[in-house]
Amino acid sequence: MNLLGPAARQAVSDAEDQVGPVPFLAVLSGWCEAVNDERDLTPVRRNVVTLTARLTAHLPWICEQPWVTDFEAEIRDLLRVVQGITMTRPRRVPLPGVRCPSCTGLTLVREDHSGWAAECGHCPAVKLDQRDYEDLVKAQACRVPGAAKS
Ligand SMILES: [Zn+2]
């Protein structure tokens, strides 16, 4: 229901009768109305594509607003709900044998679509691009006793 939207001919504009997560359309249109009002914009059609396009187009401005943390939390919740419904949660693939440079745990993972080559499952600040990850692998391989020296 959240993904498909209400069956009523007209969009449900509030979520007062809703049980469970707020419908996507209500969340997106609420934020779009805030952007429209504050930026004096003409409202767009009320569907997921047009609403997300409006919000995306104004994202740099949204990021400067004092309510950006609320916006981020609600959009993150939407994403979490979508991933749960569609079973498209990103995979976390363990990267065995390489220690985290911060906590030294064998906790490095590669997560689908994250844009990072490696992240620590425990240290939120540890995010390595491909080059940093390869350097880390080489540095740790050199420390393994009996490793061949070239
Ligand atoms: Zn760590």
Side-chain angles (χ1 to χ4, degrees):
M1 191 68 172
N2 278 7
L3 288 178
L4 300 176
R9 293 193 107 190
Q10 295 176 335
V12 174
S13 58
D14 61 54
E16 290 176 12
D17 294 334
Q18 176 74 17
V19 174
V22 178
F24 293 11
L25 212 50
V27 173
L28 295 173
S29 62
W31 285 113
C32 252
E33 284 172 24
V35 171
N36 293 341
D37 290 348
E38 291 189 37
R39 305 208 81 184
D40 198 25
L41 301 171
T42 305
V44 292
R45 288 192 58 192
R46 201 180 165 92
N47 63 54
V48 172
V49 173
T50 55
L51 295 172
T52 53
R54 170 61 55 90
L55 292 171
T56 303
H58 293 271
L59 208 49
W61 178 82
I62 289 170
C63 290
E64 296 172 350
Q65 304 312 304
W67 40 260
V68 68
T69 53
D70 294 334
F71 173 82
E72 189 274 341
E74 289 191 17
I75 299 300
R76 182 180 296 277
D77 283 349
L78 282 188
L79 185 62
R80 186 182 47 74
V81 171
V82 168
Q83 290 172 338
I85 292 170
T86 61
M87 293 186 283
T88 54
R89 213 171 289 274
R91 284 178 312 144
R92 291 190 119 198
V93 179
L95 299 171
V98 184
R99 294 192 176 276
C100 169
S102 179
C103 70
T104 69
L106 293 169
T107 51
L108 293 181
V109 296
R110 179 171 294 150
E111 187 172 303
D112 290 345
H113 318 296
S114 74
W116 298 103
E119 300 173 65
C120 178
H122 295 285
C123 309
V126 175
K127 298 185 184 302
L128 307 172
D129 62 20
Q130 189 62 37
R131 186 175 179 174
D132 289 342
Y133 176 67
E134 288 171 7
D135 288 347
L136 183 67
V137 170
K138 286 177 194 165
Q140 292 185 9
C142 290
R143 282 190 244 134
V144 174
K149 293 180 180 174
S150 55

